[in-house]
Amino acid sequence: MRVQDSKGGIISNAFVAMHHERDEHANGGAEEHRQDELIRVPFDGTADFVIAVKPGVYDVYVSSFGFDPKCMKVSVEYGKDRALVFQLIENKWIYTPVVE
C-alpha cells in the first residue's frame, strides 16, 4: 500500500489502519479478527505500508497531518496480493504557522 500526495510524493508519516468486516458465511478461517478490531499497518521504511491479512472485506483508513483522510472498502481474496495507492489531498483549512 502506498500513500502519496497529489503530486505523487510519498507520505511516510501517514497513519494507516484496517477494520475487518467479519461475515460469518464468507470469512471462514478468519476467527482471529474480531469485528471491532483495528489493524495498524506499519510503514516498511522505504515507500510502502505492508501487511498480510486474512481474506475478507476491510475498511482501510489513511490519514496524515495536513491532508484530508481517505477511507476505502477493500476485498482481499485468498492467495492474491492487493496493491493499493491512496492519494491524499492537502487540507488548506489547517493553519500551520511559519516560524522564521
Side-chain angles (χ1 to χ4, degrees):
M1 178 182 322
R2 180 163 291 185
V3 181
Q4 60 188 33
D5 62 22
S6 59
K7 296 178 182 169
I10 301 301
I11 302 173
S12 62
N13 62 340
F15 172 79
V16 180
M18 298 177 71
H19 175 260
H20 187 239
E21 290 188 5
R22 183 154 186 219
D23 181 341
E24 297 293 335
H25 304 290
N27 293 332
E31 293 82 18
E32 300 88 51
H33 296 309
R34 297 186 319 271
Q35 185 173 3
D36 61 347
E37 179 181 25
L38 281 180
I39 305 163
R40 175 80 159 90
V41 182
F43 181 63
D44 75 357
T46 57
D48 296 316
F49 294 80
V50 180
I51 188 168
V53 295
K54 300 277 186 193
V57 177
Y58 294 84
D59 289 314
V60 182
Y61 173 82
V62 178
S63 67
S64 185
F65 182 77
F67 295 89
D68 292 331
K70 276 202 172 178
C71 189
M72 179 187 309
K73 193 171 292 291
V74 177
S75 178
V76 177
E77 296 179 32
Y78 180 78
K80 294 187 178 180
D81 290 339
R82 288 291 308 260
L84 302 175
V85 176
F86 281 84
Q87 190 166 28
L88 301 183
I89 305 299
E90 185 178 358
N91 185 327
K92 306 277 188 208
W93 293 101
I94 295 177
Y95 173 72
T96 305
V98 177
V99 179
E100 296 180 15

